[in-house]
């Protein structure tokens, strides 16, 4: 039997029982639409995060103390590790050691609250170079100025605060020139950042930046750093620069050839790869959970196809009497099953696109950032492929039942 | 030349542990172009014989030869091909696809044939025309009268130009006028050279044939030629 007639016959049968067909494919529709939605949100999140990380620059390199974390508990260890010191910064700054570095700034993290005249807020406080933060995240002051190298060298008690910190502590008052209290020390606010929201792992609005020298000496009383942030000359030399940094720090820390590093180096590209992998695994996991609904949908299709085979037993007998082979009957019912699931898949894709659009709008509003609508073609093609596969897998049994019927018994069926 | 040759053909049905002998020791030949009625009361085995002769079922005893080849020489796919190319079927309950139009029903055997698709429409129209239903060609079969439905079934049986037409109680569900019309068409097919095998339990319908094989309890009780003079008397009686 020609393929065109197989599809025409199947289409007629599906259309004749359109309400039943629609209800049958509901499981497939929901399954495919959900997978499309999950993939779309996953891709949207990936794009958003990667854009923000990308904003930090593919030439950014970060060195952290301690062993590279392999689990959540290891992250705490890096906070207490004291292997990165002034001598390391000095060694890294030497052009003979790391020739392709253009910028190097250490940083420390200060925990605790900040207060102003009885108002208290818990910001993320960094001892850092505020100029580097401004360049890296493209965030600029709306009030006042940024502190510079002079203030860092002088261990000055100055701070630049984020928009949310300003709002919580000062309300509508101007904050510049006023003192904010951090760990019982007063810091004069020299600048307030514009509202910027989340950037990579940092919410600039909830941040206070003070000179890292001041944070080390007056707030924490430590001589080491929590990280050293660097920029290579270009993304192309990052790999070589990482090797140079490692060699420099191993020499500086007197680590023997066979010894393990007491620091670890992260690049933006490495981070991008890690995040892509994590989001990919999460998307695949969620999709496979949702795929269970496709199995349920497939069972529904099989059930209805078995009903259809029973209802059309006489038709099967007639077709066989008129010359249809077992293969013709098998193909006819298999095509009908595939047509059902494929229709479900296509409706599901359409539903998934609409849901993804709605989700991107809702997320743009709730997250407060532009959540781009992403719908990869591969997901749509996969959905079509899976729908066809479900039709074939769950249609083969009823189709076989139909094809094995004896013509005369089928013709006698009442 | 013998188109159909049966030697001691028998059929036993197995239902669980129960064996039912529906047909036994049926021996006869039917030549190409012959019109043969198979008669008998209900349960006499006439439908079983038609199913075996029409390759819809296999005999369990004896030897059945069609076109010079025994049924055992054919695979199930080959049986389907022979049914499609060499045989046409007309059933008592019409067996039309209710949602399909007259021409779609008539085309059905062509879907499984090796006839080129371009010819299908012309062949189907010709078959519909030959049973006088050209004016109903686009109708759904559910909108036709019983007589018209049976004429569509005859057109469907003819569309592939078969060597033999098997008609199983073709007038069983029809009033006498429609029945006479249908039998007129079948008789006309015979005049055109087709081999006709008609199953019926009515004597006056059986007598359209040249020869009547009568079955009783699964055995051939009688195999006789029909006298032309009794034919006209019976038909007159029916009218």
């Amino acid at each position: 039997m020609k393929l065109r007639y197989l599809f025409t016959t199947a289409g007629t049968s599906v259309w004749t029982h359109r309400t039943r067909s629609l209800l049958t494919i509901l499981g497939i529709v929901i399954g495919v639409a959900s997978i499309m939605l999950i993939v779309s949100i996953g891709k949207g999140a990936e794009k958003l995060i990667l854009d923000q990380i990308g904003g930090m620059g593919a030439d950014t390199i970060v060195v952290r103390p301690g062993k590279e974390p392999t689990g959540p508990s290891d992250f705490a260890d890096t906070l207490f590790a004291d292997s990165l010191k002034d001598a390391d910064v000095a060694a890294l700054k030497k052009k003979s050691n790391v020739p392709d570095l253009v910028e190097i700034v250490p940083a420390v993290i200060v925990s605790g609250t900040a207060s102003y005249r009885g108002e208290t807020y818990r910001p993320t406080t960094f001892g850092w170079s505020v100029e580097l933060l401004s360049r890296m995240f493209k965030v600029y002051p709306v009030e006042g100025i940024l502190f510079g190298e002079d203030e860092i060298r002088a261990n000055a008690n100055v701070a630049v605060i984020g928009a949310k910190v300003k709002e919580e502590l000062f309300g509508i008052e101007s904050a510049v020139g006023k003192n904010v209290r951090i760990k019982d020390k007063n810091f004069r606010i020299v600048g307030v950042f514009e509202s910027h929201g989340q950037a990579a792992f940092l919410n600039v609005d909830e941040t206070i930046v003070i000179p890292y020298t001041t944070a080390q000496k007056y707030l924490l009383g430590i001589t080491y750093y929590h990280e050293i942030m660097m920029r290579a000359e270009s993304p192309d030399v990052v790999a070589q620069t990482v090797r140079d940094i490692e060699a420099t720090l191993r020499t500086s820390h007197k680590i023997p050839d066979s010894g393990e590093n007491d620091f670890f180096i992260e690049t933006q590209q490495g981070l991008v790869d890690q995040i892509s992998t994590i989001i990919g695994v999460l998307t695949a996991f969620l999709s496979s959970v949702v795929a269970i609904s496709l199995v349920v949908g497939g069972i529904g299709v099989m059930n209805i196809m078995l009903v259809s085979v029973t209802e059309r037993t006489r038709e099967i007998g007639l077709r066989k009497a008129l010359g249809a082979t077992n293969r013709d009957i098998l193909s006819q019912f298999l095509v009908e099953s595939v047509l059902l699931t494929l229709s479900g898949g296509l409706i599901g894709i359409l539903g998934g696109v609409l849901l993804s659009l709605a989700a991107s709008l809702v997320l743009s509003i709730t997250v407060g950032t532009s959540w781009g609508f992403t719908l990869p073609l591969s997901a749509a093609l996969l959905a079509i492929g899976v729908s066809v596969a479900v039709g074939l897998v769950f249609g083969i049994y009823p189709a076989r039942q139909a094809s094995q019927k004896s013509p005369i018994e089928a013709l006698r069926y009442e | 030349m013998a188109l159909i040759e049966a030697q001691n053909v028998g059929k036993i049905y197995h239902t669980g542990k129960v064996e039912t002998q529906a047909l036994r020791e049926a021996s006869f030949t039917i030549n190409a172009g012959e019109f043969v009625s198979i008669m008998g009361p209900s349960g006499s085995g006439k439908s079983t014989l038609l199913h075996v002769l029409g390759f819809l079922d296999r005999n369990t005893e004896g030897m059945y030869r069609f076109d010079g080849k025994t049924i055992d020489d054919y695979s199930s796919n080959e049986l389907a091909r022979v049914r499609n190319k060499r045989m046409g079927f007309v059933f008592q309950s019409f067996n039309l696809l209710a949602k399909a139009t007259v021409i779609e029903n008539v085309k059905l055997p062509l879907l499984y044939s090796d006839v080129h698709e371009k010819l299908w429409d012309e062949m189907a129209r010709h078959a519909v025309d030959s049973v006088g239903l050209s004016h109903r060609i686009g109708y759904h079969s559910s909108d036709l009268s019983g007589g018209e439905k049976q004429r569509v079934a005859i057109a469907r049986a003819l569309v592939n130009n078969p060597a033999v037409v098997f008609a199983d109680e073709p007038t069983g569900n029809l009033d006498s006028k429609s029945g006479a019309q249908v039998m007129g068409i079948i008789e006309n097919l015979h005049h055109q050279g087709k081999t006709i095998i008609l199953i019926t339990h009515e004597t006056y319908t059986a007598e359209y044939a040249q020869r009547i094989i009568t079955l009783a309890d699964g055995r051939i009780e009688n195999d006789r030629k029909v006298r032309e003079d009794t034919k006209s008397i019976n038909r007159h009686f029916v009218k």
Side-chain angles (χ1 to χ4, degrees):
Chain A
M1 195 176 175
K2 290 182 171 62
L3 200 62
R4 183 160 72 89
Y5 283 92
L6 282 175
F7 275 97
T8 313
T9 309
T12 307
S13 172
V14 169
W15 184 248
T16 304
H17 303 104
R18 43 195 174 276
T19 309
R20 184 168 87 179
S21 302
L22 198 66
L23 291 172
T24 305
I25 60 175
L26 215 53
I28 308 285
V29 172
I30 292 169
V32 168
S34 306
I35 289 176
M36 295 294 288
L37 182 65
I38 287 168
V39 172
S40 171
I41 290 177
K43 286 286 170 194
E46 188 178 327
K47 188 173 180 300
L48 184 75
I49 294 169
L50 297 187
D51 280 354
Q52 289 189 352
I53 294 172
M56 289 167 70
D59 49 7
T60 305
I61 302 165
V62 182
V63 180
R64 294 202 168 89
K67 276 193 263 181
E68 187 162 10
T70 53
S73 60
D74 295 347
F75 281 102
D77 294 343
T78 65
L79 280 178
F80 300 108
D82 60 355
S83 56
L84 295 180
K85 300 197 171 158
D86 274 335
D88 298 320
V89 176
L92 291 170
K93 273 183 178 170
K94 276 190 188 161
K95 278 282 172 195
S96 55
N97 287 337
V98 192
D100 296 321
L101 270 189
V102 289
E103 197 158 21
I104 170 162
V105 179
V108 289
I109 300 160
V110 182
S111 60
T113 57
S115 59
Y116 174 75
R117 286 191 183 167
E119 296 292 342
T120 305
Y121 184 67
R122 181 175 282 276
T124 309
T125 305
F126 281 107
W128 206 8
S129 157
V130 77
E131 285 175 335
L132 180 68
L133 181 140
S134 172
R135 271 201 304 280
M136 204 171 260
F137 296 107
K138 296 180 182 62
V139 55
Y140 307 101
V142 281
E143 223 184 305
I145 54 162
L146 303 176
F147 61 79
E149 280 301 313
D150 291 344
E151 284 84 356
I152 291 173
R153 267 196 298 274
N155 303 337
N157 282 13
V158 288
V160 175
I161 63 173
K164 174 94 171 157
V165 181
K166 188 254 169 195
E167 191 191 318
E168 292 290 330
L169 295 181
F170 300 93
I172 53 168
E173 275 182 50
S174 169
V176 174
K178 295 186 173 124
N179 284 336
V180 66
R181 210 161 167 77
I182 306 167
K183 282 193 177 283
D184 293 332
K185 293 270 191 301
N186 281 329
F187 285 80
R188 186 170 51 85
I189 295 167
V190 294
V192 178
F193 278 128
E194 64 188 345
S195 181
H196 187 266
Q198 192 77 29
F201 302 111
L202 186 69
N203 190 331
V204 176
D205 296 350
E206 296 171 359
T207 303
I208 295 179
V209 186
I210 58 175
Y212 59 86
T213 48
T214 318
Q216 254 190 328
K217 284 186 183 143
Y218 297 127
L219 293 186
L220 301 173
I222 57 174
T223 56
Y224 57 88
Y225 299 110
H226 291 133
E227 62 184 35
I228 302 172
M229 202 162 270
M230 288 161 278
R231 271 199 318 114
E233 213 163 67
S234 76
D236 300 336
V237 296
V238 165
Q240 181 55 47
T241 307
V242 166
R243 285 194 288 274
D244 292 342
I245 292 168
E246 189 178 4
T248 305
L249 291 179
R250 281 179 73 88
T251 310
S252 169
H253 294 186
K254 298 184 176 64
I255 298 170
D257 287 348
S258 57
E260 236 181 284
N261 287 344
D262 58 356
F263 60 91
F264 61 96
I265 303 168
E266 286 177 346
T267 60
Q268 291 311 303
Q269 191 52 50
L271 206 58
V272 164
D273 291 346
Q274 272 180 14
I275 286 169
S276 293
T277 306
I278 291 167
I279 291 177
V281 168
L282 264 178
T283 305
F285 171 72
L286 288 173
S287 298
S288 57
V289 170
V290 172
I292 293 169
S293 77
L294 287 177
V295 175
V296 176
I299 293 168
V301 168
M302 182 159 75
N303 189 28
I304 285 300
M305 287 307 298
L306 282 170
V307 170
S308 180
V309 168
T310 307
E311 280 175 352
R312 288 155 66 192
T313 299
R314 279 179 76 90
E315 181 193 321
I316 293 164
L318 172 71
R319 286 180 185 273
K320 285 198 153 188
L322 300 183
T325 58
N326 288 359
R327 195 190 164 93
D328 287 325
I329 301 295
L330 183 97
S331 309
Q332 183 188 328
F333 281 90
L334 209 51
V335 166
E336 192 171 321
S337 165
V338 169
L339 193 71
L340 268 175
T341 54
L342 184 62
S343 313
L346 292 175
I347 297 171
I349 289 172
L350 188 70
V353 169
L354 294 175
L355 281 173
S356 305
L357 260 174
S360 70
L361 284 174
V362 170
L363 285 166
S364 290
I365 295 164
T366 52
V367 176
T369 180
S370 170
W371 187 288
F373 166 67
T374 315
L375 200 75
L377 183 66
S378 58
L381 291 175
L382 184 72
I384 290 172
V386 168
S387 308
V388 170
V390 167
L392 286 172
V393 168
F394 290 96
I396 191 81
Y397 177 69
R400 225 181 112 73
Q401 293 277 93
S403 73
Q404 299 295 316
K405 283 186 188 297
S406 132
I408 206 62
E409 278 169 22
L411 276 169
R412 276 192 196 133
Y413 184 81
E414 293 294 336
Chain B
M1 187 196 147
L3 179 70
I4 284 169
E5 200 183 338
Q7 283 175 16
N8 298 318
V9 168
K11 175 74 186 176
I12 299 171
Y13 289 110
H14 297 270
T15 316
K17 287 180 180 172
V18 181
E19 273 190 5
T20 311
Q21 179 111 29
L23 191 66
R24 65 187 79 203
E25 293 169 6
S27 297
F28 57 89
T29 57
I30 296 172
N31 291 327
E34 237 188 312
F35 185 170
V36 178
S37 286
I38 298 170
M39 258 193 81
S42 187
S44 60
K46 54 188 189 299
S47 287
T48 303
L49 180 59
L50 179 120
H51 295 153
V52 171
L53 298 182
F55 280 6
L56 293 169
D57 208 351
R58 287 179 190 265
N59 51 310
T60 50
E61 294 170 349
M63 188 271 297
Y64 168 44
R65 194 175 278 159
F66 180 85
D67 258 352
K69 270 176 89 176
T70 64
I71 191 167
D72 299 329
D73 295 338
Y74 294 100
S75 68
S76 72
N77 277 353
E78 283 168 336
L79 290 180
R81 207 167 300 130
V82 173
R83 282 199 299 270
N84 181 258
K85 287 174 91 166
R86 304 279 291 151
M87 298 171 174
F89 293 91
V90 180
F91 301 99
Q92 180 179 355
S93 52
F94 323 129
N95 283 334
L96 300 180
L97 302 180
K99 301 282 176 186
T101 61
V102 167
I103 193 151
E104 284 166 349
N105 268 293
V106 173
K107 272 186 193 172
L108 205 54
L110 297 173
L111 262 59
Y112 305 107
S113 72
D114 47 14
V115 175
H116 197 281
E117 199 182 336
K118 276 183 185 166
L119 300 171
W120 291 4
D121 213 51
E122 191 192 328
M123 288 169 78
R125 281 176 189 280
H126 183 258
V128 173
D129 195 37
S130 71
V131 296
L133 279 178
S134 297
H135 59 298
R136 295 273 195 260
I137 206 153
Y139 279 50
H140 281 94
S141 58
S142 51
D143 297 334
L144 302 177
S145 70
E148 287 173 328
K149 283 179 183 171
Q150 199 56 296
R151 282 150 70 189
V152 174
I154 295 171
R156 185 181 62 195
L158 293 177
V159 72
N160 230 355
N161 193 26
V164 57
V165 174
F166 294 97
D168 188 0
E169 304 268 14
T171 59
N173 281 353
L174 303 179
D175 58 68
S176 58
K177 190 182 165 195
S178 301
Q181 252 182 351
V182 163
M183 284 314 300
I185 292 169
I186 290 174
E187 190 177 39
N188 200 29
L189 288 177
H190 167 237
H191 290 148
Q192 288 167 21
K194 288 266 178 279
T195 309
I196 310 286
I197 297 176
L198 172 75
I199 300 286
T200 183
H201 62 274
E202 300 160 338
T203 309
Y204 57 87
T205 305
E207 288 188 341
Y208 275 85
Q210 300 166 299
R211 182 179 153 200
I212 299 175
I213 297 172
T214 309
L215 291 175
D217 297 328
R219 282 180 198 278
I220 294 181
E221 195 181 61
N222 194 308
D223 186 347
R224 67 179 172 92
K225 288 209 157 122
V226 179
R227 282 170 51 193
E228 285 301 313
D229 52 343
T230 54
K231 245 186 195 182
S232 55
I233 292 165
N234 282 334
R235 285 194 210 175
H236 182 73
F237 174 74
V238 171
K239 281 172 193 170

